[in-house]
Amino acid sequence: MTELFSADQIKHRFEQLPNWQQDAYLKFSNMIADDGNTYPCVPGRIGFLSGHLRFGFAHDPRSQEAARDIAHLLGQYGRISRDTGQYASLVIICDTPKELLEHTSVEQYQSLFWELLSRITAQDVSPWPEHISTEPNDSTWEFCFDGEPYFCFCATPAHKLRASRHFPYFMLAFQPRWVFESINDSTPLGRKMKTLIRKRLTDYDAVPAHPSLKWYGQEGNLEWKQYFLSDDEQTPSKCPFMRMKQAMHRWTK
């Protein structure tokens, strides 16, 4: 069964990790803690440098094993996330075979992401939190697992123009909703952070910030639109999560 790691635990056991996991972690640390301090997600950078992030590795994201890996990691993480620090986040890097690297477009990764999220949900035996809408087109909807709401982020090897969503491996990050209690549009820190992140995105990406980037609960905001951003400004007209979840339900009847 896949394990949950802190950065210190990875460093301590680094030589025991498979080669691809060593490579993936080094690439992640070099990206988020680059010497030029250019990475746009300031909370993510602070979280990494402060030891608040937790890490996990999963199988090929096309496989059912990946869904089980990630469900297991989320179950572990939900029980300890509040003890990891103010800028908590769970980073999961998937084994990404050469075939997937060389023959998968951003659009295909987008479909894979939503399919994987639906398969992860199928592993969840806990009831949906009462205070979170079950309808993705409601501004209070958020992906939930084991009773915990998360903001979900996906990066892929195919992203080029939107460098902030590029990573050499298929990668997911789950940020607990409670992290945003002090970082949102109603707090001075949140407004300052938003301005800084937008400026960094302008410098980091070759395209303007995606119009879907807004705060949770903000009027007109739909969280699912931010989970996977394409290289352009396109967004699916309907949330793929519910469509795939309903399809999976029909298949298993």
Side-chain angles (χ1 to χ4, degrees):
M1 190 64 74
T2 188
E3 296 183 56
L4 197 63
F5 296 103
S6 67
D8 284 344
Q9 287 171 328
I10 287 182
K11 292 173 185 175
H12 180 70
R13 299 173 56 178
F14 189 77
E15 297 299 329
Q16 301 170 31
L17 297 176
N19 289 338
W20 78 264
Q21 293 182 10
Q22 294 182 25
D23 181 64
Y25 180 77
L26 287 175
K27 283 182 166 60
F28 179 85
S29 60
N30 289 335
M31 174 186 72
I32 200 168
D34 63 304
D35 292 337
N37 188 14
T38 64
Y39 190 70
C41 183
V42 179
R45 180 182 173 89
I46 295 173
F48 177 76
L49 295 174
S50 303
H52 296 179
L53 304 191
R54 293 298 180 267
F55 300 88
F57 300 98
H59 282 81
D60 182 331
R62 298 169 295 182
S63 68
Q64 187 58 29
E65 287 86 354
R68 287 196 288 265
D69 290 343
I70 297 170
H72 179 71
L73 288 165
L74 279 168
Q76 294 180 75
Y77 183 68
R79 293 188 287 272
I80 59 96
S81 67
R82 291 180 183 271
D83 300 322
T84 62
Q86 178 183 357
Y87 295 100
S89 193
L90 169 62
V91 177
I92 300 176
I93 304 174
C94 294
D95 189 4
T96 312
K98 185 177 180 181
E99 171 199 349
L100 195 59
L101 283 170
E102 295 181 348
H103 302 290
T104 310
S105 66
V106 173
E107 291 74 23
Q108 289 170 324
Y109 274 120
Q110 184 176 51
S111 295
L112 176 58
F113 164 74
W114 287 110
E115 179 188 341
L116 179 57
L117 212 60
S118 298
R119 286 191 276 117
I120 294 166
T121 292
Q123 306 285 321
D124 191 5
V125 296
S126 298
W128 197 263
E130 292 183 1
H131 64 290
I132 302 292
S133 173
T134 57
E135 173 50 58
N137 285 323
D138 187 300
S139 63
T140 66
W141 182 86
E142 188 75 285
F143 174 76
C144 298
F145 190 89
D146 198 24
E148 292 290 336
Y150 295 95
F151 176 82
C152 187
F153 169 100
C154 183
T156 82
H159 280 81
K160 304 301 180 188
L161 299 177
R162 205 172 297 282
S164 56
R165 293 291 176 129
H166 173 82
F167 191 66
Y169 294 80
F170 186 86
M171 181 179 77
L172 303 173
F174 295 89
Q175 195 163 20
R177 175 49 47 195
W178 59 261
V179 169
F180 296 93
E181 291 172 359
S182 61
I183 309 175
N184 59 65
D185 209 30
S186 65
T187 67
L189 176 60
R191 290 190 292 271
K192 181 179 179 181
M193 196 75 76
K194 179 180 179 180
T195 300
L196 181 56
I197 291 172
R198 287 301 179 96
K199 182 181 184 304
R200 285 176 172 243
L201 279 173
T202 299
D203 297 334
Y204 202 79
D205 289 348
V207 290
H210 200 283
S212 294
L213 290 176
K214 297 178 182 178
W215 287 109
Y216 176 74
Q218 181 180 346
E219 185 177 354
N221 175 59
L222 296 177
E223 285 290 279
W224 67 265
K225 290 187 175 183
Q226 302 184 54
Y227 288 4
F228 191 105
L229 299 181
S230 60
D231 255 353
D232 52 26
E233 294 187 356
Q234 297 299 311
T235 301
S237 58
K238 294 183 180 179
C239 179
F241 178 74
M242 286 304 293
R243 175 171 53 81
M244 291 185 177
K245 183 180 178 182
Q246 291 164 357
M248 288 181 68
H249 179 68
R250 290 196 297 270
W251 295 337
T252 54
K253 278 189 176 181

